[in-house]
Every structure is written in C-alpha cells, then in structure tokens.
Amino acid sequence: MSPDLWMLLAFAGLLIAGVPVAFSLGLAGAVGILAGLPPMMLATLGTNTYNSIAKYPLIAIPLFILTGLIFERSGVALRLVRFAQALIGPRHGGLALVAVLVCMIMGGMSGSGPADAAAVAMVMLPSMTKAGYPKPFSATLIAASASTAILIPPSVALILYSIVVPGVDLRALFAAGLFPGILAGLALLVPALIVSKRHGWEGGTPVEGAERLKVGETFKQALPALFAPVLILGGLRSGLFTPTEAAVVAVAYGVVIGLFVTREIGWRDLWALFGEAAVISGVVMLIIALAGIFAWAGTMLGTFRGLAEWIIALTDNGVLLLVLIMLGVLAAGMLLDAISIYLILMPILIPVMQHFEWNPVWFGILLAMNIAIGQFTPPVAVNLMVTTEVARIRLEQTVGWALLFVVAMAGALALVAVFPEIALWLPRVLGYNVG
C-alpha cells in the first residue's frame, strides 16, 4: 500500500475512532512521513507546526473571537432584537424576520456562526415560543441564519481562506461575502415567512402612531451595535487599518460599549472573557498547527497533487465538476468545522481551481456558502447543536425544518454559482484585486 494511502486511511480511521480533528491531522501526517519518507523527517514536526501559525493575519482570528464574546455579553443582541421588533411590529412571521436580521447583524461583529447562534437563541427563543412558534422551527431558523456569519465580514473562515490560498486579498473576500450573505439570509426568510403565515404563528397590526416613538427609543439603544459593522468595514475601505488592525479596533470598541454604554460587563468580566476567548482560540490554533504536519506530508508525498489530478480527470466539464465539488464540501461540512475543511481540502482544490481558471474569490465564497449549509445540517450541525441546547430539545426534532432551510440556502448558492458578479461586483467597485 502506498504511503499517501496509509496517511489518508490513518486520518479517516482516527476520525471514525473519535479522535479530535486536530490530533487526527497531526498523527496522520506523522504516519505518512514514517511510511514514505526517511524517519529523520520526523524532526520537521516542530518546524511545521510553528510555521503553520506563525502568520501575521492569523492574529485577527482570536481577536474577532474575543469581539464576538464581548458583544454577546454586552446585551447587544437584546437591544438589536428590541429595535427590530419595534420596527417590524406584530405580524405573521415578524419574529422570524427579527431573528434572521439580528443574526446577520451579529454575524457582522463576531464572524462566528456558533457564537452568533448562542447569543440570538438566548434572546429570541423565549419570545418566539410565547408567540406560538414551535421550538424545533425556531432553533433551526436561528441556527441557519447564524450560519451567514461565515459570509458576512468579518468572517473567521474567510480570514483562513485568504491565508491558505496564495494571492487572495482578504479585503476583496470580505466585500465579496456581503451580498451572498444577505442573499442567503433572504433565502432563509422566504420559507420562514410562508410557513409562519400558513400555520398562523404570531399576528397583529403593523407599528403605528405611538409605537413610532418606541422605534426611535430602541434605535438609540441599538445604535452602538449597528455602528460596529460600519466601523469595521468603513475602516477597511478607507484604508485606515488593515484586516488585522480592524480586529484590534473591534475589540477596543466592544470593550468601550460593554463597560461604558450598555454597562453590562465589568472589569472582572473582561478577564473571564479573555480566558474564554483564549480557550476557543487555542482550539482553533491547535487545529491549524497540527494541520501543518498533514499538509507538509501530503505535499512531500505528492498526495494532494495525485488527488487533484484524479479529480480533474473525472470530467472535462467544469460545471459538472463544480457541482460534484460542492456536494463533497457539503458532505464535509456536515461532519467537520469550517477551519478543518479549508485546511484539509484546499491543498487538493487549489490545482483544480487553477486548471479550470475559476476566480479564487468567487470560489472561496461558494465554499463558504456550502460550509454554512453544513453548519445547520445534521448529523453534526455545530450551530444547530448550540440552539437545540438552548431550546432544550433533541437534535433529531429539527431534521425536517433543517432540510427546508438547506434547500432554501442551496438556491442562494446556485444563484451565486450561476451569476458570479453577485459576489464579485462589490469588490470590483471598491477597487480590490479579485484575481
């Protein structure tokens, strides 16, 4: 049996055995080195792990994770929900619309789907349950809507994609993700509103008269939260700071809002938040570090090149191959997190992308949309696991609703695939390099 096959089988076997992804990657890489390279090459393990994380743009990941935690604990989600409720008013599907909008705005602060899902679910689920929405529907809608955080900047997954794929401008990726992220949210909203109206969940009259004052009051309360995405994206567009510096600015802004505006966190709370962000970031960085061993071994053994050539040889039809790749990534997204998928699949997919001359920014957004679908598709469904835990229901109760929203977001993915300018128009207008 060839060394690269030993490596791939070792990785698959370790995953099936329940070994965490990070250690599965590192151990499988070591197996590949032992099977096909001189044993002295094991001395490169330390160098490869260090080189994998010794990249300046990666600093943004722990900082954006910290930003999301700070905004989550600062009562930002609650203020956004109140503003959206006052703006939309009581009507069929009103709270469903509020949930989608708030998830999208929160995604523009944290860049993390699970964090987004947790913050919104804590606030929205009680209100939606009182209004007659079944808990499985509400939990699934919030989980699906929170998955747009992987598209709407600042996205942790897109930061990693810009590092893995050479020559891709992170600012272009951020800009390219905005419209597809909004399109994905709208795609989820359509079936949610139709189902809400059909079942008669929630009802009433639009906001009128005295209620307009409430809109103004809640807008003032929500203004600091609404300004956060503007600050991040505006600073990037103006050239005032780089994406990594934007993460620092976002943390500083979140601390000011939490301590002095909402006053829902104190100095002692900050220390706890720093610790929580460090733990989450440590997990992410461990995956990236140990994936470096797997990537180096796969490159030296020619595993990735061989797999890429095999994929290219499947068909000369680029459209058909793109569909097959999207289905494969969707399957991976149902089992693995976004970071692991990028680290495992991109060394294989980059030669395929170059062979068919697919735009790297557009292709990155397609992958992100596919991974977003996987975040609320059982059996793993990281976002759905968070919301079902908050709702105190079983994951299997949400399967029917999850399939509905999978179809809806797949429709948005198909539109972006057929019309690449949905993703590429904004970065072109802003003058970024889109490849």
Side-chain angles (χ1 to χ4, degrees), residues 118-135:
V120 178
M122 292 291 291
V123 178
M124 288 297 307
L125 276 171
S127 300
M128 295 183 76
T129 303
K130 288 180 183 178
Y133 293 86
K135 283 186 178 181

Side-chain angles (χ1 to χ4, degrees), residues 183-208:
L183 179 63
L186 293 175
L188 296 171
L189 189 57
V190 171
L193 292 177
I194 293 173
V195 170
S196 299
K197 189 171 183 180
R198 177 177 298 175
H199 290 279
W201 299 331
E202 194 181 1
T205 56
V207 178
E208 294 178 356

Side-chain angles (χ1 to χ4, degrees), residues 398-423:
T398 65
V399 172
W401 296 118
L403 291 176
L404 173 65
F405 294 126
V406 165
V407 172
M409 192 177 280
L413 170 63
L415 284 175
V416 177
V418 175
F419 303 104
E421 286 302 307
I422 295 176

Side-chain angles (χ1 to χ4, degrees), residues 36-382:
L37 298 172
M40 67 181 66
M41 289 294 101
L42 288 174
T44 63
L45 296 183
T47 305
N48 286 322
T49 53
Y50 173 76
N51 289 339
S52 299
I53 57 174
K55 296 179 174 66
Y56 176 71
L58 285 178
I59 298 173
I61 292 179
L63 289 172
F64 278 126
I65 289 173
L66 178 58
T67 301
L69 291 173
I70 291 173
F71 275 111
E72 178 188 341
R73 306 293 166 81
S74 299
V76 166
L78 179 61
R79 284 164 172 77
L80 288 172
V81 167
R82 287 174 178 169
F83 169 59
Q85 283 180 297
L87 188 66
I88 295 167
R91 65 186 70 199
H92 290 303
L95 286 176
L97 175 57
V98 169
V100 175
L101 290 177
V102 173
C103 281
M104 292 172 67
I105 297 172
M106 287 293 292
M109 302 176 198
S110 68
S112 168
D116 192 357
V120 178
M122 292 291 291
V123 178
M124 288 297 307
L125 276 171
S127 300
M128 295 183 76
T129 303
K130 288 180 183 178
Y133 293 86
K135 283 186 178 181
F137 170 84
S138 303
T140 309
L141 177 63
I142 294 171
S145 302
S147 70
T148 59
I150 202 174
L151 292 163
I152 297 175
S155 164
V156 171
L158 292 182
I159 293 172
L160 186 60
Y161 180 85
S162 71
I163 295 170
V164 175
V165 181
V168 176
D169 187 346
L170 178 56
R171 297 172 303 167
L173 278 172
F174 277 177
L178 187 59
F179 285 160
I182 294 172
L183 179 63
L186 293 175
L188 296 171
L189 189 57
V190 171
L193 292 177
I194 293 173
V195 170
S196 299
K197 189 171 183 180
R198 177 177 298 175
H199 290 279
W201 299 331
E202 194 181 1
T205 56
V207 178
E208 294 178 356
E211 291 291 332
R212 294 188 184 277
L213 295 175
K214 186 180 177 183
V215 173
E217 293 170 5
T218 55
F219 174 72
K220 289 179 182 178
Q221 295 175 356
L223 192 57
L226 295 171
F227 183 69
V230 176
L231 175 66
I232 296 169
L233 297 178
L236 289 173
R237 173 65 190 99
S238 64
L240 191 62
F241 38 71
T242 66
T244 305
E245 292 164 348
V248 180
V249 172
V251 169
Y253 180 73
V255 169
V256 170
I257 296 301
L259 288 176
F260 305 112
V261 179
T262 65
R263 297 183 179 180
E264 294 199 17
I265 59 174
W267 291 104
R268 290 184 178 179
D269 298 321
L270 279 180
W271 181 254
L273 289 172
F274 290 158
E276 189 174 346
V279 170
I280 298 172
S281 302
V283 173
V284 173
M285 292 302 178
L286 184 63
I287 295 173
I288 296 173
L290 294 182
I293 300 173
F294 187 82
W296 185 85
T299 301
M300 295 300 293
L301 294 171
T303 307
F304 301 141
R305 183 179 64 253
L307 287 173
E309 290 173 353
W310 176 78
I311 292 173
I312 292 171
L314 288 176
T315 176
D316 292 330
N317 190 326
V319 175
L320 177 59
L321 194 57
L322 182 64
V323 172
L324 293 176
I325 289 173
M326 292 297 106
L327 291 174
V329 173
L330 175 60
M334 293 165 61
L335 302 170
L336 300 171
D337 60 279
I339 291 171
S340 301
I341 291 172
Y342 278 130
L343 293 172
I344 295 168
L345 294 185
M346 285 317 299
I348 302 169
L349 295 180
I350 288 174
V352 180
M353 178 179 68
Q354 293 171 342
H355 177 81
F356 286 97
E357 298 182 347
W358 293 331
N359 184 283
V361 173
W362 169 72
F363 188 66
I365 299 302
L366 290 182
L367 291 180
M369 293 187 77
N370 227 313
I371 295 170
I373 295 173
Q375 288 188 332
F376 62 91
T377 307
V380 177
V382 287

